[in-house]
Amino acid sequence: MLAQVALPYAYNALEPSIDAQTMEIHYTKHHAGYVKNANAAIAAENIAVANETELVASVGKYSTGLRNNVGGVWNHNFFWQVMGPGGKGRPEGKVLDAINASFGDFEKFQAAFTEAGMKRFGSGWAWLVEHEGKLTIGSTANQDNPLMDVSDFKGKPLLALDVWEHAYYLKYQNKRNEYVANWWNVVNWDEVAKRIG
Ligand code: MN
């Protein structure tokens, strides 16, 4: 059975960047729906789940429905944890050092990550990953992620941004650019730091 992680903060904790209604619907309807459907697919396909990450890494062996829903479980469990209230806006210490080493400076990194989120056509995710000792930026469609065997873009996720319309449409409507710009205020860089190295 896959589980939905407890939200580490209240629905309104990321206001005004992400409004409480969007957070509540996103967590209790969208994410909970992926959990329910993923577990139904795991049962229907008779899969013995060693752990969530191993299943994600082998989704290519199973149905598209399983791939989409298992990805939806993993991606949101990750996404909630790399956000939080009281964000400092920019990283420091080893995260900043790694970003500077890979992208030049924080502004260049931020521009490239924003572009990955803006250019993802339709629904998907933007990612910062660690791969072969370097940090790289990319995006995935639907609920795919860089741990999946089926993904062209691979690495260990350090930071993720959900650019599905369900993540921002209630507050921002078509203005994905404003959502992305405000989202930087709620990135939890301490959680990113825990995942580096
Ligand atoms: Mn979502």
Side-chain angles (χ1 to χ4, degrees):
M1 290 281 284
L2 302 186
Q4 185 174 25
V5 298
L7 198 64
Y9 35 76
Y11 295 131
N12 66 359
L14 306 186
E15 294 262 16
S17 296
I18 302 179
D19 61 289
Q21 189 184 21
T22 296
M23 277 301 300
E24 182 166 4
I25 294 171
H26 202 169
Y27 183 79
T28 65
K29 305 297 182 192
H30 295 279
H31 190 198
Y34 296 125
V35 174
K36 181 167 176 277
N37 292 332
N39 284 321
I42 287 164
E45 297 176 42
N46 278 314
I47 299 164
V49 180
N51 68 60
E52 193 177 317
T53 301
E54 266 180 39
L55 181 59
V56 164
S58 60
V59 289
K61 293 196 288 188
Y62 308 111
S63 69
T64 302
L66 182 135
R67 168 181 172 173
N68 290 340
N69 286 289
V70 167
V73 176
W74 196 97
N75 293 347
H76 291 87
N77 277 342
F78 182 86
F79 185 48
W80 310 135
Q81 293 178 64
V82 294
M83 298 189 292
K88 292 187 285 273
R90 52 190 300 148
E92 50 197 23
K94 70 175 181 178
V95 178
L96 185 59
D97 291 346
I99 283 174
N100 288 343
S102 295
F103 304 105
D105 60 36
F106 180 71
E107 285 66 33
K108 290 196 184 84
F109 155 74
Q110 197 172 30
F113 189 95
T114 296
E115 186 181 13
M118 291 303 298
K119 285 198 170 163
R120 167 48 55 192
F121 184 78
S123 297
W125 294 77
W127 302 93
L128 172 68
V129 304
E130 192 168 28
H131 190 55
E132 295 171 349
K134 282 184 61 180
L135 304 193
T136 56
I137 289 166
S139 74
T140 55
N142 303 316
Q143 294 294 356
D144 284 356
N145 72 44
L147 295 172
M148 288 184 172
D149 52 353
V150 293
S151 180
D152 294 331
F153 176 69
K154 285 199 168 63
K156 181 175 74 168
L158 303 177
L159 179 64
L161 171 60
D162 188 345
V163 295
W164 282 60
E165 285 187 345
H166 71 223
Y168 62 87
Y169 210 86
L170 282 176
K171 180 179 171 79
Y172 295 99
Q173 296 83 48
N174 58 309
K175 296 174 291 246
R176 186 189 286 188
N177 60 326
E178 290 185 13
Y179 160 65
V180 176
N182 289 337
W183 170 78
W184 291 105
N185 297 322
V186 296
V187 172
N188 186 339
W189 293 106
D190 294 337
E191 288 295 320
V192 177
K194 283 186 197 169
R195 289 161 172 82
I196 280 196

